């Protein structure tokens, strides 16, 4: 490349320079630099804002425009030959579109030599001096600049390069001249640069392109100027600018993609820039917002508040070098007249050169989510206080449902609880909508549907597919959620909104569930505590509970009374204060080991009460501790002392009993006679009669055969024997009743063997039976003979006195026969078994009394009244007793009189005797009262007292007959009571009280 000499001033066209006030060079500095660097002849140097309306470019002048913006009359500045210089890419495009001859990048930071070089190349392209002229740009100027200059011929061979370009191509000696450019460039650079240079060469147009050097990561800008000889390349490093552009692009991308809305306002409050986030937030299109006043999204109050904040920012900026920021909470107005809560962060755009306000930069952050989250958290907090104050689990469940409905705004809500009895999840609280839509399936199996999944897998389940969820389908619910509450409950919630639940909704629901679980647990613990205290309150024993420090937490009134203290004052006191033994106190307060100690319980008065204390450890949700029971041993100690005395007396009695007695002990080696009294030892046929700890088998061998055989069952523990045995010792025959009495003692099972000598009793019983049968048989037979002869005398004897004697003999003998019959009846009654008595309906008993008793007295006025209900103890022997009472009532009726003798009864005037039998319920309803009444003269008091047991039977105190005795023994056999309710001149009433 041939470098020209400086351009002669008289050969250069006159140049008019226009500058923009925003261009990064002061006007004076710009003019001086142009004149010094380029030797241009300046015809005018004017500001774009101050030039005349008609001023422009023509063929006679070269127009230079230094601007950072597209002038309003750009077309006027491109007429003729016009070159624009700028730092803004948008101005480059606009200038070329407007028709400028050329537009290139330059700033004062690039250097004035670079400006001269670029102007020289442009002037060459617009008809100025040729590069081959003798007046070209001097080589020293090209070598002095830091940017690279390269000249290529029409085959892209290097014909010239300055030092900067030589360094770039690593050519220190100039040996690259004549080389094709492509051979000196990395393949990657060639790939980027070659298409642009070939286009400049072929089309003959100036082309500017950029590329990055792979080895150094540097960026370069290359401008190719075509000429007749080839291409002139002007290159400079733009790494810093490129980084700024990349950073700017990243910033612009960030602004567009950031979640916050970003806007720029001019000084009049009109939008000059908005990102997509602001459009999405407000619902407006970008075209709707750009150029519109901020009032479109802010009401007057919000705008006024923002203006006040901006004035404060202006004052702050004047007082400091920083960038103050104002933060406001606002309600944005959306395109559909809705509102969006947002946080508006505003700062000022750079002030003008005159210090004037130029506009605002702001970001708007949608805080709808934060506000809802805050509102929900506040609602959960308020609900937590209510839940923690609840006293029942039902109250907690109801509050959970109300919270989800009121705070979250979900439509259908239900709380299910595991029912251990049915092993199902049953609803315990539902919302109003839930009540309407949950009737078909109010309970779930543990693994049924999403409710069961949430319960069994302990996780939140969200279901959008509504199939299979019958209970929610009716309400039109689109999305359902199911969340576990602790270990035994679940929360179901649904919404009709197709959008379903947000992540915040799900997390906050889980938070509510955790809070509710704690509330349920607290209420359950409180219920357990109340039950625990109620048990202690209701206990009638001496009970106390201790904490892990051995201090009393609860005590019964009985314990407080035993130590002589107020029950309320016991709480917090150490148990050791009330025990005489410190070791016992430590054992009682030990949480690890259960205690069973005997010690003295000390009262407030210093009295020592012997006691036994047993403890057991317990664990509960509100703490671990010890529960203790106190047993007063005072009575036991007295009983033990009494038992010791009784054992001594028993031993004395055991040894002195005349009946043979042995004590048998059962052990691992079988039955052993541990001891026997002298009478038992006397039965043994051996010289050594000491029977202490002798095997029963050995003792049986020494006993008479009959007794040894009777003891066979006694070889096994628990055998109960009662049998008669007899022994023959020489001429003496003995009869015994052998009886065993099994019992348990502290050392195992034992049994007493008692042989009761009944020899004399058996002989007396035999004698009595013989006498009884003989007397009863002979008495009746002989009396019958007497009765027959007396009756014959009465019928044949005409002598009145002899006849009277005969009648007396007849009546006396009749009385004896009747007594014998009564005695026989009494014997049968006494021999009756308990099985003969049964419980029968009262109506049946009344029917039998009427048919079997009263029917035998047709001559009497006998009545039966039954007012009793239920059942009564009854047997045929009872009818005998009732008949005896009725017979006695007929005999002693007021219509009867005695003639001749006491036992001859006639009814006066032919009137029938009056007898009344009555059945009625006893006052206590556990018995039936049977009364027999007559209207006779009454029963002698002395006779009744003997039968009632109030008088002893003596020679002077006895009854005249056996009838009342028969009645008494019949009543005894029926476990009843006999009473004389009335006895006097107006009659007698005898009552029998019979159990049911």
């Amino acid at each position: 490349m041939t470098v020209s000499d400086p351009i002669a001033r008289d050969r250069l066209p006159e140049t008019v320079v226009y500058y923009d006030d925003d261009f990064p060079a002061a006007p004076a500095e710009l003019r001086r630099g142009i004149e010094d660097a380029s030797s241009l002849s300046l015809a005018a140097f004017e500001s774009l804002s101050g030039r005349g309306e008609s001023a422009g470019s023509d063929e006679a002048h070269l127009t230079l425009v230094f601007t950072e913006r597209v002038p309003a009359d750009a077309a006027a500045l491109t007429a003729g030959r016009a070159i624009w210089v700028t730092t803004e890419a948008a101005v480059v495009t606009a200038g070329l579109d407007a028709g400028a001859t050329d537009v290139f990048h330059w700033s004062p930071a690039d250097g004035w030599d670079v400006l001269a070089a670029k102007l020289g190349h442009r002037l060459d392209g617009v008809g100025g001096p040729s590069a081959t002229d003798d007046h070209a740009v001097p080589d020293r100027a090209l070598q002095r600049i830091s940017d690279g200059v390269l000249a290529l011929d029409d085959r892209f061979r290097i014909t010239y390069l300055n030092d900067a370009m030589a360094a770039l191509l690593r050519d220190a000696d100039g040996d690259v001249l004549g080389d094709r450019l492509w051979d000196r460039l990395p393949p990657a650079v060639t790939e980027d640069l070659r298409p642009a240079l070939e286009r400049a060469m072929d089309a003959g147009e100036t082309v500017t392109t950029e590329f990055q050097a792979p080895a150094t990561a540097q960026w370069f800008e290359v401008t190719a100027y075509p000429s007749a000889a080839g291409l002139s390349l002007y290159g400079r490093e733009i790494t810093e600018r490129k980084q700024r552009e990349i950073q700017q692009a990243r910033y612009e991308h960030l602004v567009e993609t950031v979640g916050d809305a970003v806007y720029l306002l001019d000084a009049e409050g009109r939008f000059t820039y908005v990102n997509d986030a602001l459009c999405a937030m407000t619902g407006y299109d970008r075209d709707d917002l750009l150029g519109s006043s901020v009032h479109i999204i802010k009401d007057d109050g919000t705008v006024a508040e923002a203006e006040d904040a901006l004035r404060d920012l202006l004052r702050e900026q004047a007082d400091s070098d920083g960038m103050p920021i104002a933060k406001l909470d606002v309600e944005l107005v959306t395109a559909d007249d809705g509102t969006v809560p947002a946080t508006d962060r505003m700062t000022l755009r750079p002030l003008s050169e005159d210090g004037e306000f130029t506009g605002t930069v702001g970001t708007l952050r949608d805080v709808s989510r934060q506000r809802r989250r805050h509102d929900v958290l506040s609602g959960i907090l308020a609900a937590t206080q209510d839940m923690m104050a609840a006293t029942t689990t039902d109250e907690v469940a109801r509050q959970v449902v109300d919270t989800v409905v009121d705070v979250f705004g979900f439509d259908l809500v239900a709380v299910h609880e595991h029912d251990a009895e049915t092993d199902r999840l049953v609803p315990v609280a539902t919302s109003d909508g839930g009540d309407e839509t949950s009737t078909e399936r109010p309970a779930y199996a543990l693994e049924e549907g999403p409710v069961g999944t949430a319960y069994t897998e302990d996780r939140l389940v969200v279901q959008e597919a509504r199939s299979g969820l019958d209970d929610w389908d009716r309400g039109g619910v689109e999305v359902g959620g199911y969340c576990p509450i602790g270990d035994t409950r679940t929360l179901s919630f649904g919404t009709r909104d197709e959008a379903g639940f947000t992540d915040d909704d799900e997390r906050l629901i889980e938070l509510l569930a955790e809070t509710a679980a704690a509330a349920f647990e607290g209420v359950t613990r409180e219920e357990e505590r109340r039950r625990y205290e109620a048990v202690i309150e209701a206990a009638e024993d001496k009970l106390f509970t201790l904490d892990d420090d051995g201090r009393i937490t609860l005590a019964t009134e009985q314990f407080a009374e035993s130590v002589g203290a107020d029950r309320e004052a016991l709480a917090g006191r150490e148990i050791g204060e009330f025990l005489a033994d410190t070791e016992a106190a430590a054992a009682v307060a030990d949480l690890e080991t259960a205690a069973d100690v005997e010690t003295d319980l000390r009262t407030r008065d210093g009295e020592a009460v012997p006691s036994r204390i047993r403890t057991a450890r317990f664990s509960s949700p509100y703490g671990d501790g010890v529960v203790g029971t106190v047993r007063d041993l005072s009575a036991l100690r007295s009983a033990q002392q009494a038992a010791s005395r009784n054992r001594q007396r028993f031993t004395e009695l055991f040894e002195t009993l005349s009946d043979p007695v042995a004590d048998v002990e059962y052990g691992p080696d079988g039955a052993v006679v541990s001891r026997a009294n002298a009478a038992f030892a006397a039965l043994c046929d051996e010289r050594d009669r000491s029977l202490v700890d002798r095997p029963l088998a050995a003792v049986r061998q020494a006993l008479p055969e009959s007794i040894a055989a009777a003891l066979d069952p006694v070889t096994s523990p628990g055998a109960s024997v009662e049998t008669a045995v007899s022994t023959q010792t020489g001429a003496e025959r003995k009869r015994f009743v052998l009886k065993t009495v099994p019992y348990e003692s502290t050392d195992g099972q034992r049994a007493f063997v008692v042989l009761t000598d009944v020899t004399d009793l058996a002989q007396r019983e035999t004698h009595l039976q013989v006498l009884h049968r003989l007397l009863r048989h002979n008495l009746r037979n002989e009396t019958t003979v007497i009765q027959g002869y007396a009756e014959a005398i009465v019928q044949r004897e005409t002598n009145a006195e002899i006849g009277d004697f005969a009648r007396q003999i007849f009546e006396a003998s009749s009385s004896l026969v009747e007594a014998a019959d009564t005695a026989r009846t009494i014997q049968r009654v006494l021999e009756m078994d308990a099985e003969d008595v049964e419980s029968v309906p009262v109506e049946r008993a009344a029917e039998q009394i009427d048919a079997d008793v009263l029917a035998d007295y047709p001559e009497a006025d006998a009545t039966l009244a039954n007012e009793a209900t239920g059942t009564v103890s009854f047997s045929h022997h009872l009818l005998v007793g009732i008949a005896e009472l009725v017979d006695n009532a007929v005999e002693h009726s007021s219509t009867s009189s005695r003639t001749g003798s006491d036992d001859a009864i006639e009814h006066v005037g032919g009137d029938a005797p009056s007898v009344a039998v009555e059945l009625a319920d006893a006052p206590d309803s556990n018995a039936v009262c049977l009364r027999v009444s007559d209207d006779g003269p009454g029963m002698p008091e002395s006779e009744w007292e003997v039968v009632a047991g109030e008088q002893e039977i003596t020679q002077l105190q006895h009854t005249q007959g056996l009838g009342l005795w028969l009645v008494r023994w019949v009543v005894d056999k029926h476990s009843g009571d006999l009473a004389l309710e009335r006895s006097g001149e107006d009659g007698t009433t005898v009552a029998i009280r019979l159990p049911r």
Side-chain angles (χ1 to χ4, degrees):
M1 175 179 181
T2 303
V3 180
S4 305
D5 291 332
I7 301 174
R9 184 175 296 273
D10 56 355
R11 295 189 59 189
L12 292 176
E14 291 188 347
T15 304
V16 177
V17 178
Y18 295 105
Y19 61 88
D20 178 7
D21 293 336
D22 291 335
F23 194 80
E29 179 186 9
L30 180 62
R31 179 167 186 166
R32 184 171 56 253
I34 295 172
E35 291 176 343
D36 293 344
S38 63
S39 300
L40 291 176
S41 175
L42 299 184
F45 188 84
E46 299 180 10
S47 169
L48 284 173
S49 60
R51 69 189 182 87
E53 294 182 359
S54 59
S57 298
D58 55 35
E59 295 295 334
H61 293 85
L62 171 66
T63 303
L64 283 181
V65 180
F66 293 84
T67 182
E68 292 293 278
R69 58 185 176 180
V70 179
D73 54 350
L77 296 173
T78 58
R81 294 173 294 176
I83 299 176
W84 287 17
V85 182
T86 183
T87 64
E88 295 290 336
V91 175
V92 173
T93 302
L96 294 174
D97 292 342
T101 304
D102 204 348
V103 183
F104 65 86
H105 286 273
W106 177 83
S107 71
D110 295 334
W112 299 103
D113 289 339
V114 173
L115 176 64
K118 289 189 174 185
L119 284 175
H121 288 296
R122 265 65 175 183
L123 291 174
D124 181 48
V126 296
S130 167
T132 59
D133 293 341
D134 294 336
H135 301 284
V137 177
D139 180 67
R140 65 177 181 273
L142 296 178
Q143 294 294 346
R144 189 171 65 245
I145 63 176
S146 60
D147 294 331
V149 178
L150 183 70
L152 302 176
D153 63 14
D154 56 0
R155 296 183 181 182
F156 297 100
R157 289 177 298 193
I158 300 173
T159 60
Y160 173 82
L161 74 167
N162 68 352
D163 293 342
M165 185 62 74
L168 181 63
L169 295 180
R170 289 171 174 76
D171 174 49
D173 302 326
D175 57 353
V176 299
L177 294 175
D179 294 342
R180 283 167 53 90
L181 177 64
W182 320 129
D183 298 335
R184 288 291 177 174
L185 296 178
V189 175
T190 299
E191 183 178 354
D192 292 337
L193 187 61
R194 186 167 185 169
L197 297 186
E198 289 178 345
R199 184 173 72 254
M201 183 78 76
D202 295 341
E205 62 181 23
T206 301
V207 176
T208 300
T209 187
E210 298 174 352
F211 68 89
Q212 185 179 25
T216 62
Q218 293 173 293
W219 281 91
F220 297 91
E221 179 187 72
V222 174
T223 302
Y225 302 97
S227 65
L231 291 177
S232 296
L233 303 183
Y234 178 84
R236 62 171 177 165
E237 183 185 355
I238 58 170
T239 302
E240 182 177 352
R241 190 193 81 189
K242 194 67 176 179
Q243 289 175 343
R244 288 197 303 270
E245 291 176 356
I246 293 173
Q247 183 177 4
Q248 178 69 19
R250 289 174 180 172
Y251 173 76
E252 292 177 357
H253 176 73
L254 177 65
V255 169
E256 286 297 333
T257 58
V258 74
D260 293 341
V262 180
Y263 65 89
L264 295 177
L265 298 178
D266 61 16
E268 303 300 326
R270 294 184 297 266
F271 285 109
T272 60
Y273 172 80
V274 294
N275 66 349
D276 292 339
L278 181 61
C279 297
M281 183 185 300
T282 61
Y284 286 104
D285 292 334
R286 192 185 303 270
D287 294 339
D288 296 332
L289 293 175
L290 292 178
S292 299
S293 171
V294 73
H295 282 82
I296 192 173
I297 63 169
K298 295 182 180 180
D299 59 24
D300 293 342
T302 303
V303 171
E305 186 178 1
E307 290 174 348
D308 291 340
L310 290 175
R311 281 189 285 271
D312 293 337
L313 288 178
L314 287 170
R315 285 192 293 271
E316 292 179 23
Q317 191 173 37
D319 298 336
S320 65
D321 296 333
M323 182 183 293
I325 298 175
K327 181 179 178 181
L328 300 176
D329 292 329
V330 299
E331 294 284 341
L332 299 182
V333 180
T334 62
D336 58 0
D337 293 330
T339 58
V340 176
T343 299
D344 191 1
R345 297 171 62 89
M346 299 181 299
T347 189
L348 300 176
R349 297 179 69 178
L351 301 180
S352 68
E353 292 183 356
D354 299 332
E356 296 295 326
F357 172 67
T358 61
T360 310
V361 179
T363 61
L364 289 165
R365 175 167 294 178
D366 186 347
V367 295
S368 301
R369 175 179 175 182
Q370 291 87 337
R371 179 170 296 183
R372 173 174 167 78
R373 184 179 179 87
H374 176 271
D375 293 342
V376 172
L377 285 173
S378 298
I380 291 176
L381 178 61
T384 299
Q385 297 173 345
D386 294 336
M387 285 188 288
M388 293 303 178
T391 58
T392 66
T393 54
D394 287 343
E395 290 182 25
V396 176
R398 182 74 262 165
Q399 288 165 355
V400 171
V401 169
D402 292 344
T403 301
V404 177
V405 172
D406 298 338
V407 176
F408 287 85
F410 296 150
D411 303 300
L412 303 175
V413 187
V415 172
H416 287 77
E417 183 176 84
H418 178 243
D419 183 357
E421 183 175 347
T422 62
D423 201 27
R424 294 175 68 81
L425 295 170
V426 299
V428 293
T430 58
S431 62
D432 293 340
D435 291 338
E436 296 173 359
T437 60
S438 298
T439 55
E440 290 187 9
R441 295 171 60 188
Y444 297 90
L446 295 187
E447 297 181 354
E448 181 180 0
V451 179
T453 301
Y455 179 80
T456 56
E457 298 184 8
D458 191 29
R459 65 180 178 88
L460 176 68
V461 176
V462 175
Q463 182 131 9
E464 298 180 3
R466 306 313 301 157
S467 59
L469 300 180
D470 299 338
D471 55 339
W472 296 107
D473 283 345
R474 289 190 184 180
V477 172
E478 297 295 334
V479 182
Y482 310 88
C483 183
I485 304 177
D487 296 331
T488 58
R489 298 173 180 86
T490 62
L491 170 63
S492 303
F493 52 98
T495 177
R496 295 183 176 92
D497 187 353
E498 294 182 359
F501 312 120
T502 65
D503 290 342
D504 281 347
D505 290 336
E506 295 176 10
R507 301 291 80 80
L508 292 172
I509 279 288
E510 290 179 322
L511 174 62
L512 175 64
E514 292 177 4
T515 303
F520 278 118
E521 182 179 355
V523 170
T524 302
R525 287 201 305 267
E526 182 63 20
E527 290 176 347
E528 290 179 356
R529 185 188 65 80
R530 288 197 297 269
R531 286 196 297 269
Y532 161 74
E533 292 186 353
V535 170
I536 297 297
E537 292 286 349
E540 297 181 357
D541 296 330
K542 299 172 186 176
L543 298 180
F544 62 85
T545 59
L546 306 177
D547 60 17
D548 53 4
D549 292 326
R551 298 182 180 276
I552 297 174
T553 53
L554 282 175
T556 60
E557 190 64 39
Q558 289 74 12
F559 178 84
E561 291 177 358
S562 66
V563 297
D566 293 333
R567 183 165 173 264
E568 292 76 10
L570 288 176
R573 297 178 65 177
E574 294 184 358
I575 189 65
E577 297 181 31
F578 306 100
L579 301 181
D581 188 351
T582 56
E583 292 184 3
V588 169
D590 187 1
L591 265 69
E592 300 300 328
T593 306
D596 187 352
V597 298
E598 290 189 9
T599 184
D600 288 339
L601 199 65
R602 295 189 298 190
T603 66
R604 183 162 41 191
D605 300 331
E607 180 183 356
V609 180
S611 304
R612 182 173 190 173
I613 301 178
R614 291 180 176 175
T615 64
R617 180 182 179 182
F618 69 85
S619 296
S620 67
Y622 45 89
D624 298 338
V626 168
V627 58
T629 61
V630 181
R631 180 184 177 190
D632 190 341
L633 298 182
S634 302
L636 178 60
R637 297 278 174 85
S638 299
Q640 288 174 340
Q641 295 172 359
S644 178
R645 293 191 296 269
N646 289 338
R647 281 195 299 270
Q648 184 177 359
R649 287 195 294 268
F650 173 76
T651 301
E652 295 174 357
L653 176 63
F654 184 86
E655 296 294 339
T656 58
L657 278 175
S658 59
D659 289 336
V661 180
D663 191 3
V664 179
E665 178 182 3
Y666 299 95
D669 299 328
V672 175
V673 177
S674 61
R675 60 179 174 170
N677 66 355
F680 192 93
L683 294 174
C684 296
D685 185 17
E686 59 181 25
R687 292 182 179 182
D688 185 6
R689 295 183 175 180
S690 175
L691 300 178
V692 177
D693 297 333
R694 294 276 300 276
L696 178 60
V699 175
R700 288 177 63 197
Q701 292 178 0
L703 289 171
E705 184 178 350
S706 59
I707 297 177
L711 287 175
D712 182 61
V714 184
T715 56
S716 299
S720 181
V721 179
E722 184 173 0
T723 184
V725 296
S726 61
T727 64
Q728 185 73 37
T729 305
E732 184 180 15
R733 185 178 182 81
K734 288 283 190 178
R735 299 183 65 181
F736 297 95
V737 174
L738 187 149
K739 185 175 184 180
T740 62
V741 182
Y743 71 97
E744 289 189 8
S745 67
T746 56
D747 54 356
Q749 291 184 307
R750 306 176 73 97
F752 282 119
V753 177
V754 182
L755 287 154
T756 303
D757 189 346
V758 294
T759 304
D760 295 339
L761 180 61
Q763 290 176 351
R764 285 196 296 271
E765 184 178 356
T766 301
H767 296 162
L768 287 175
Q769 289 179 354
V770 171
L771 291 174
H772 178 70
R773 292 181 179 274
L774 177 62
L775 289 177
R776 193 178 68 185
H777 180 270
N778 292 348
L779 176 63
R780 181 176 180 82
N781 289 347
E782 296 303 326
T783 303
T784 303
V785 173
I786 294 172
Q787 188 179 22
Y789 282 115
E791 185 176 8
I793 294 174
V794 171
Q795 292 176 355
R796 297 178 184 178
E797 184 59 50
T798 58
N799 186 291
E801 184 177 4
I802 294 174
D804 185 49
F805 288 157
R807 279 192 297 275
Q808 292 185 26
I809 293 172
F810 178 79
E811 291 178 1
S813 60
S814 297
S815 179
L816 289 174
V817 172
E818 183 180 349
D821 292 339
T822 303
R824 186 168 61 251
T825 302
I826 289 174
Q827 183 180 2
R828 289 198 298 269
V829 169
L830 295 178
E831 292 175 352
M832 69 179 288
D833 294 329
E835 289 78 6
D836 294 337
V837 180
E838 60 179 339
S839 181
V840 301
V842 176
E843 293 81 0
R844 174 181 162 188
E847 291 175 358
Q848 289 195 240
I849 293 171
D850 187 47
D852 296 343
V853 177
L854 299 185
D856 291 340
Y857 297 93
E859 77 283 2
D861 182 13
T863 61
L864 175 65
N866 179 22
E867 297 180 357
T869 59
T871 60
V872 65
S873 296
F874 191 77
S875 74
H876 68 279
H877 296 290
L878 181 63
L879 295 174
V880 176
I882 297 173
E884 185 65 31
L885 291 177
V886 172
D887 186 71
N888 188 68
V890 171
E891 180 182 346
H892 295 89
S893 174
S894 62
T895 62
S896 65
S897 63
R898 298 185 182 272
T899 60
S901 68
D902 292 339
D903 292 333
I905 301 174
E906 293 181 0
H907 295 284
V908 180
D911 293 336
S914 177
V915 179
V917 179
E918 176 189 6
L919 288 168
D921 291 329
D924 58 4
S925 301
N926 292 325
V928 174
C929 191
L930 185 149
R931 296 179 177 87
V932 179
S933 303
D934 62 38
D935 56 357
M939 181 182 298
E941 183 176 351
S942 59
E943 186 170 347
W944 174 260
E945 290 177 350
V946 173
V947 176
E950 299 173 6
Q951 290 285 348
E952 293 183 3
I953 302 175
T954 65
Q955 185 175 359
L956 297 177
Q957 299 292 337
H958 59 84
T959 58
Q960 295 180 359
L962 296 175
L964 280 179
W965 286 108
L966 173 61
V967 175
R968 174 180 171 177
W969 289 330
V970 167
V971 173
D972 288 344
K973 286 292 186 178
H974 288 75
S975 301
D977 296 316
L978 183 66
L980 181 64
E981 289 189 348
R982 179 172 64 99
S983 179
E985 296 179 356
D986 56 348
T988 301
T989 299
V990 178
I992 300 174
R993 187 179 184 277
L994 296 168
R996 296 190 181 273

